[in-house]
Every structure is written in structure tokens, then in C-alpha cells.
Amino acid sequence: MKIFFIQNNVEGLLSALFYSFVAKVVPDEVTDVEIYQQKIDDEITYIKTDAAQAERVQTALTRYGGYDIIRRLKNCMLSCDENATSTAFRYAYKTLFFKKDISGNLADPTVAQFVFTEQKVLTERHHIIGFLRFRESAGGVIYARFSPDNDITELVAPHFLKRLSGLPFVIHDIKRNKIAISDGFALKFDHTDLPAAFTPSDDEEAFANLWRRYYKEINIEERKNLKQQDRFMPRRYRKFMPETYERF
Amino acid sequence: MLDEKRLAILTDAAKYDVSCSSSGSTRSYKRGQIGNASFAGICHSFTQDGRCISLLKILLSNDCVYDCAYCMNRRSNSLPRATAAPEEICELVMAFYRRNYIEGLFLSSAIVKGPNHTMEMLFETVRKLRVDYKFNGYIHVKGIPSADKLLITRTGALADRMSFNIELPSEKSLKLLAPQKSKEAIIEPMKMLALDRYYLSPAKRRSDFLPAGQTTQMIIGASPESDAHILKLTEYMYRNYKLKRVYYSSYMPTNFNTTLLPTVAAPKLREHRLYQADWLLRFYGFTADEITDTDGNLAEEYDPKCAWALKNLHLFPVEVNSAPLSLLLRVPGIGVRSAFRIRSARKYAKLGFDDLKRMRVTLKRAKHFITCGGKFFGSENENEVKRLLIAAETDRYTQLSFLSGGDPAAESALTGEL
Ligand code: SF4
């Protein structure tokens, strides 16, 4: 199998596309060095990320594939699906090959795979935007922990920057040790190995309790339907929510 | 701070109100204010009954001077009463919003003292939130019938959505069951707000006045009106008052001591079918007359689109590669999303049956009503089709545990999609 090893970001992907067209090599798989389990008969090409090449490919892609194609490729690459990078590569390759926007052609397996992979990422983003829970610290900064399936911190944080304008917050992906920090006006992304030292504000527990009470009270007991609850609010998200978890 | 006990009373009194969605409003970020609203609406949690929590749904007070037969809070019912101060509601909204528990507020109230006093308290709460707390998130306020017009308009200028509940599907039932309310007291403010919205919004810009429009709600099964009657009323209100949404709420007998009301709850399935029919009116270009018989009810065995298709078999099958969008939307089992997928994919290549599967178009019901490149994969026999459709429907409901005590309306109120 022909494997391209790339740096796992969109420039890496674009550089791989450049190489592929210039060297006339079509890889079977495109992947990130860190996660790939090498097999004996693999033929590996290490792709060096090159900003100038990436930009040329980006221009071409945007011309043929529509203004949002780069954003969509990024979204797809944030997926936890192990083939996500290859999926994004194949979709971009096909767009360049046919020199046209193929996004509507869902009957094509390459397109379908790309669209549905991206959709899963965006669906999780939509979930998290609702389910994320902040706690207020004694210092006034609000802090949220979560552990999403896909690497969506960067897709989620801007929503809260807009919404909570002026209010400093931290969003912490504890699975990937990623954090988004806002001072109320701008976002910064970083990695951290440290568990957050968190001292809740005086009111924090009282408001969490009011919310728990509200949650209990608004439920209509006679119409219990746990299956439907599970379908709309997957259990794995609940340990970060005060209404479903006492110590979240 | 509002204490837990009053919170419980004021929540309990509001929980049967079904219009919980926060959609339809785009409020973008304003400097120095907190909050925005997203057009699609966001669910922040789901309760054990499977319903979405998007807004803090609460009553300012449940201490009512009216005596509507179907309502828990009516004067003659003895239950604990509570009232919250506008300030207390504001504080709670801000605390919940900052923590991302909620998308905004859905504020309603029983009639305290009289309509004007109540409307004034509602207005004051909203004013405080918007002006003093600089809250720019979603606010839905229930309008109080017979309240002063100016108060209503001023509230509308600050809220995203208002609703005057029509309560019952006919004037006769309203007179019987809610003697202190009148049809005019409910309809007139609806008309007025529709006009306000029209005149107070600058041309071609999104509306600043009630950006999410108006909705209403009615109780199903407490009075004898048929589905056909209800749907015609719904259609009339969509057309004439430009409502964004009509909600239906199944009647549930609580601790009532009255001969005016039925003793059994209205079946959930009926409410579910009404939501499906409502969806057909709003998004699929159906008219109320098409989906109901002159004065009958909706079919129970299958959804209203299937029922319509079975009555109009001469129009089917349709060819997916050439049928116009409006016709694709009328195929049972093909929803809005699938119809759009088909329309865009067929520009690239002729679609076969397997292509549709790959595009995740559900074919269980649709296959009896379509051809792909001239090929038909369904059953030719009408009775067989009926049997299969009913089987598919039963499957769907057992899967979603609708019939095992669940609440079908929770899902259909959320999406109503068909
Ligand atoms: S006015 Fe409203 S709260 Fe009062 S009894 Fe009638 S429905 Fe209930």
C-alpha cells in the first residue's frame, strides 16, 4: 500500500495534494505519523509541509470546490474516524481532478463518505454547544470540562466567545489535554498536562442545585421515555452536566 | 435568590406548556451585552420524558384569579401558590445563561389581580433583563389576553417571540371551559402584533420587532373538535396572523372535579399525527383540505403523508431522476433533506436504487412510490402496500417506544419532521 505521512493539519493535507499531482502518485492512504500502525509491505512517503505549495493548492481548490471547501476539509480532519484524513484527501483530490464542485454528488462514495464524516463532526459540535456546562470560579473565570469524540475545541470555542462577550472562560478537552482560553475578547488555544485547579465561587453550588431542581421539576413523570432521552442526549456527555451528575 | 420551593412550584405550573423551542431568531452579538440567539435553536438538556430543555420555562406567578376548567392553576383548585419578583427571575436567567444551562427565558404567568397588572410584571421583567442586565439572549413571553395594547407592543419590542394561546379550537369550547377569556381578547392582540411586526420592521432587514414571530398553542381532546377543524384553524392562523408555529398539547385529566371535561386523556398518537400534518402544511406545500376528509380525523395507522399518497395512487410512482422537488416531497418516507439530496445528486448522474441507499435516503416506504431510471422496486398490489406501510409504521414506533408509554409528541414537537 502506498501511504502518505503528513503533518496532521490542513497545510499538511494540501502539501500532500501538491506532491500527488506533481509526482503523479495516488496514495491508498493518507495519515498522521503518530497514529499509523505500519505494515510490512507499506511504501511510505513522508510529505513535508510547504506553505507555498499549500497556498497554490488552496487557491485551486477554492476556485473549483467552492469558497468553503477548506473549512470543510478542516472539519473532516477533526473527526475521530481513523480514515478521516484519507477521506478528506480523496475528496479534495477528486475536486481537483474533475475541476468542479462535487459536493452535491452524494451518490459518489467518495463524496458521501466525506459529507457524512464532516456531518458527524458538526453534529457533535451542535450537541456540545448545548451540553457544555460552565462552573464559575472564585476569581470570576468560568470553566468547562468536556471529552468530545472528535477534536472540536476549536469549533466550539468561538461560539462562546461571541455569546459570553466580555466574560473570560476556559474550555478544557480533558481527553486531548487541549484548552481554549478567552480573556473575554480573544481566543487562545493551548495544550496542558495539568489538571485545572478550580475553586468554585460562593454561589456556584447554590445555582447548580437550583438547576438540578428545575431539571427534575420540568420533567413529566407519567411520560417517561428514557430511550428517547438517550437518543437525543448520549450518555457519554452526561458526566459533565450537573443535572445528570452530582459531581461533574 | 429564588428559593428551591418557589422555583419548584413555578416550574411545575409551566411544564405542560409545549412551546419550548428557541429557534427562529438570530440575535447577533452586541458589544457590552451578554448573549446571542441562534436561528436553528439549541437544546441544552433532555429530561427523562425525552423532551428538550432549551429555555428556562417558568411562571412569574401561579396565583390565578381566573377559573379555566382545564388548568391546574385555576382559582377553584387548591394547590400551593407562589410568585416571583422580576428581579429574582432576572438573576436566575443570568446565572443559568452564563453557565450554559439555557438558551434564554420563556416567561409566562397566571392572571394575578388582573390582566394589566400581570402584563406589567411581565414587561418589567423583560425590561430589566434587556436594559439593566444587558441580556441579549432569547426571550419568549406569553401575552396576557385583555391586557393593555401599549403594554403588549412595548413587550414585543423587547422580546424575540410572543404567544397568545388560542387554548381551544373553537369559540364555543372556549366559552364553556374558559369563561373569563374571549376569542377577541386572544385574536385581537395576535392581529395587532402581526401588524406591528410588519410596520415596525425596516424594509428588507430582519425584523427587530419580535424577530422570532408569534406562536400559539391549543389543547387537543378536551373538546369535541375534529382534526379537520383543528388543521383548518391552524392553516388559517398561519396565513392570516403569520404565526411561526402552532403547538398542540394533549389534554390530560388531572385532579379536576368537573363534568365539563372528559375523564380520559387524549391519545398521544393523535397529537403526534397533528404535528405531522402541521409539518406538511408548513414545509411540504400541502393544504389542510388535502390531508383531511371534509370533517374527519387523521388516519391512525399511518402518517398523514402516507394517507394522502394512498388516496392519490394515480400520481405514483414518480421518477426520482425527473420529478420536481415539490412532488418528491410528497413521496411517503422522503423528507426535506432527502429530497434536496436527490435533487442535487441527480445533476451529476442518473440515480439508481443503490445510489439512493448510499445517500441514506430511507426507502422502506418510499420504494412503493418511486421509480429509479424506470425501474420499480416496490409492490404493485395496493393492499400489500397498505400492509407494508402499517408494518413499517409499527416498527418505527416500537423502536422509539412511542406506544409503550412514551411521548410521541416530544419528538414531533421538536422536529415534527416526516
Ligand atoms: S388564566 Fe391561565 S393560569 Fe389562569 S386558570 Fe386560565 S389557563 Fe390557568
Side-chain angles (χ1 to χ4, degrees):
Chain A
M1 289 230 293
K2 290 200 186 79
I3 316 285
F4 280 8
F5 270 4
I6 67 163
Q7 233 173 359
N8 204 18
N9 53 32
V10 92
E11 283 77 38
L13 187 83
L14 296 173
S15 305
L17 285 159
F18 188 88
Y19 176 83
S20 175
F21 273 92
V22 171
K24 297 196 167 44
V25 187
V26 184
D28 298 296
E29 255 179 70
V30 180
T31 181
D32 184 358
V33 190
E34 282 165 32
I35 57 163
Y36 190 70
Q37 301 267 327
Q38 203 173 326
K39 293 179 206 78
I40 296 209
D41 53 350
D42 282 348
E43 189 184 307
I44 288 166
T45 314
Y46 289 87
I47 307 285
K48 235 183 88 200
T49 301
D50 180 311
Q53 291 173 3
E55 192 167 332
R56 282 177 63 188
V57 178
Q58 174 164 347
T59 311
L61 269 174
T62 312
R63 178 172 340 130
Y64 302 129
Y67 69 97
D68 62 345
I69 188 168
I70 301 296
R71 185 170 47 93
R72 297 189 65 184
L73 291 169
K74 273 189 199 164
N75 290 344
C76 175
M77 289 174 77
L78 296 176
S79 164
C80 59
D81 180 327
E82 53 177 16
N83 297 315
T85 312
S86 299
T87 303
F89 181 91
R90 286 185 201 117
Y91 179 79
Y93 185 91
K94 215 162 193 169
T95 302
L96 292 171
F97 186 85
F98 288 111
K99 292 196 168 53
K100 71 172 184 182
D101 183 355
I102 53 172
S103 61
N105 190 9
L106 270 186
D108 177 331
T110 307
V111 180
Q113 203 179 7
F114 173 73
V115 168
F116 293 133
T117 308
E118 189 207 9
Q119 205 171 70
K120 254 184 143 166
V121 174
L122 295 180
T123 303
E124 186 174 41
R125 172 185 182 270
H126 187 76
H127 272 142
I128 294 295
I129 278 176
F131 299 153
L132 198 74
R133 293 289 181 266
F134 288 98
R135 280 187 298 166
E136 191 181 65
S137 75
V141 178
I142 55 171
Y143 170 76
R145 295 187 310 152
F146 73 145
S147 173
D149 300 339
N150 305 295
D151 188 3
I152 53 174
T153 307
E154 280 164 58
L155 292 184
V156 167
H159 168 82
F160 290 101
L161 180 68
K162 270 197 213 136
R163 167 158 292 196
L164 303 168
S165 57
L167 200 67
F169 66 82
V170 175
I171 296 174
H172 186 174
D173 176 347
I174 57 170
K175 193 193 270 177
R176 299 175 182 80
N177 293 327
K178 263 195 171 178
I179 49 173
I181 306 170
S182 151
D183 59 2
F185 305 98
L187 277 173
K188 226 173 62 191
F189 296 94
D190 210 340
H191 275 88
T192 174
D193 295 327
L194 302 170
F198 182 83
T199 325
S201 70
D202 293 343
D203 291 341
E204 184 50 38
E205 207 43 38
F207 280 120
N209 279 335
L210 281 176
W211 174 243
R212 288 184 179 115
R213 185 64 193 258
Y214 177 75
Y215 180 76
K216 214 178 92 197
E217 219 56 58
I218 199 81
N219 175 48
I220 301 179
E221 191 58 34
E222 307 87 289
R223 296 190 183 176
K224 202 170 210 169
N225 190 347
L226 295 177
K227 250 191 205 164
Q228 187 158 303
Q229 187 193 26
D230 286 351
R231 217 155 61 89
F232 289 129
M233 185 164 78
R235 289 182 180 239
R236 60 184 181 284
Y237 297 133
R238 295 188 201 171
K239 57 176 171 289
F240 302 103
M241 302 165 80
E243 64 268 40
T244 42
Y245 231 74
E246 280 304 312
R247 295 179 47 77
F248 75 108
Chain B
M1 197 189 282
L2 192 67
D3 52 281
E4 263 195 56
K5 208 169 128 211
R6 278 187 301 150
L7 175 73
I9 294 173
L10 295 171
T11 305
D12 192 60
K15 73 180 170 194
Y16 294 102
D17 212 300
V18 275
S19 45
C20 72
S21 98
S22 61
S23 59
S25 194
T26 312
R27 279 187 169 267
S28 42
Y29 156 76
K30 291 201 188 106
R31 212 179 170 77
Q33 305 210 335
I34 183 162
N36 58 6
S38 110
F39 189 80
I42 296 171
C43 285
H44 285 258
S45 196
F46 286 87
T47 39
Q48 295 200 333
D49 56 22
R51 295 191 306 167
C52 153
I53 300 182
S54 176
L55 307 172
L56 171 64
K57 193 155 51 169
I58 194 165
L59 258 55
L60 255 180
S61 172
N62 71 338
D63 198 357
C64 199
V65 295
Y66 281 12
D67 206 32
C68 309
Y70 49 82
C71 175
M72 287 206 309
N73 301 323
R74 65 200 185 123
R75 196 186 51 207
S76 58
N77 198 18
S78 98
L79 89 175
R81 307 282 172 173
T83 301
E87 182 69 37
E88 291 175 312
I89 300 284
C90 295
E91 189 193 24
L92 199 63
V93 169
M94 296 311 287
F96 281 8
Y97 194 80
R98 257 204 311 270
R99 289 167 176 78
N100 204 38
Y101 297 167
I102 53 167
E103 202 53 24
L105 172 66
F106 177 28
L107 188 63
S108 168
S109 182
I111 315 287
V112 190
K113 294 186 187 149
N116 279 338
H117 176 79
T118 313
M119 197 67 228
E120 236 174 273
M121 290 209 312
L122 292 172
F123 170 73
E124 177 56 14
T125 311
V126 179
R127 189 203 60 77
K128 246 187 179 17
L129 262 178
R130 287 281 192 242
V131 179
D132 301 351
Y133 287 87
K134 303 195 181 341
F135 178 69
N136 191 39
Y138 191 91
I139 301 179
H140 177 163
V141 185
K142 192 110 126 243
I144 304 296
S146 308
D148 185 77
K149 280 185 174 173
L150 192 62
L151 266 176
I152 295 174
T153 300
R154 288 177 69 191
T155 311
L158 296 172
D160 289 86
R161 171 171 281 180
M162 280 188 81
S163 53
F164 283 85
N165 285 354
I166 191 114
E167 312 282 14
L168 294 157
S170 78
E171 200 176 351
K172 199 171 137 222
S173 302
L174 192 68
K175 272 209 183 104
L176 187 68
L177 299 174
Q180 285 106 328
K181 293 179 184 164
S182 72
K183 181 184 152 207
E184 288 70 35
I186 297 168
I187 298 289
E188 286 306 319
M190 270 196 203
K191 275 195 212 160
M192 179 187 80
L193 286 176
L195 287 175
D196 281 349
R197 191 161 185 264
Y198 181 77
Y199 287 114
L200 296 177
S201 306
K204 287 199 178 157
R205 280 216 358 239
R206 92 184 157 74
S207 179
D208 290 330
F209 187 88
L210 291 182
Q214 298 187 68
T215 62
T216 194
Q217 178 177 333
M218 61 181 121
I219 303 163
I220 302 305
S223 50
E225 292 81 7
S226 69
D227 290 347
H229 176 98
I230 291 167
L231 287 169
K232 272 180 207 151
L233 175 63
T234 300
E235 186 177 52
Y236 180 84
M237 292 193 291
Y238 281 139
R239 286 199 187 142
N240 293 284
Y241 310 140
K242 305 280 173 262
L243 295 191
K244 285 286 148 82
R245 197 73 202 271
V246 174
Y247 291 94
Y248 311 96
S249 135
S250 290
Y251 162 73
M252 282 215 284
T254 326
N255 53 339
F256 303 139
N257 236 331
T258 170
T259 48
L260 296 175
L261 289 166
T263 47
V264 288
K268 298 282 147 43
L269 188 61
R270 182 172 181 206
E271 183 183 317
H272 182 56
R273 291 286 180 244
L274 280 169
Y275 273 118
Q276 290 179 317
D278 179 82
W279 182 271
L280 296 183
L281 295 181
R282 287 185 299 145
F283 298 114
Y284 290 63
F286 282 87
T287 60
D289 283 331
E290 278 179 304
I291 32 186
T292 51
D293 301 329
T294 36
D295 204 28
N297 287 326
L298 295 164
E300 281 184 9
E301 326 76 280
Y302 20 69
D303 67 64
K305 198 153 93 169
C306 278
W308 175 84
L310 287 170
K311 271 192 291 180
N312 292 281
L313 279 174
H314 58 280
L315 297 173
F316 296 102
V318 299
E319 169 57 43
V320 289
N321 285 293
S322 57
L325 188 71
S326 57
L327 198 50
L328 284 178
L329 285 170
R330 290 187 169 225
V331 175
I334 293 187
V336 178
R337 216 175 309 165
S338 298
F340 276 96
R341 277 181 191 164
I342 290 171
R343 191 181 65 169
S344 77
R346 71 187 181 193
K347 291 187 193 135
Y348 295 88
K350 205 164 182 183
L351 302 176
F353 200 68
D354 290 330
D355 291 324
L356 294 182
K357 273 195 197 150
R358 198 170 313 122
M359 292 159 64
R360 305 195 184 170
V361 175
T362 26
L363 295 162
K364 205 164 183 175
R365 278 166 295 162
K367 69 179 175 201
H368 306 295
F369 300 94
I370 55 169
T371 55
C372 307
K375 289 202 191 81
F376 182 65
F377 294 88
S379 164
E380 303 264 10
N381 178 318
E382 194 180 323
N383 287 326
E384 176 73 0
V385 171
K386 276 190 185 156
R387 197 184 59 73
L388 289 170
L389 287 178
I390 292 172
E393 192 78 350
T394 320
D395 259 20
R396 196 150 66 112
Y397 288 154
T398 17
Q399 227 179 37
L400 301 176
S401 71
F402 276 0
L403 299 177
S404 53
D407 181 3
E411 192 203 11
S412 47
L414 194 67
T415 68
E417 189 163 352
L418 218 170

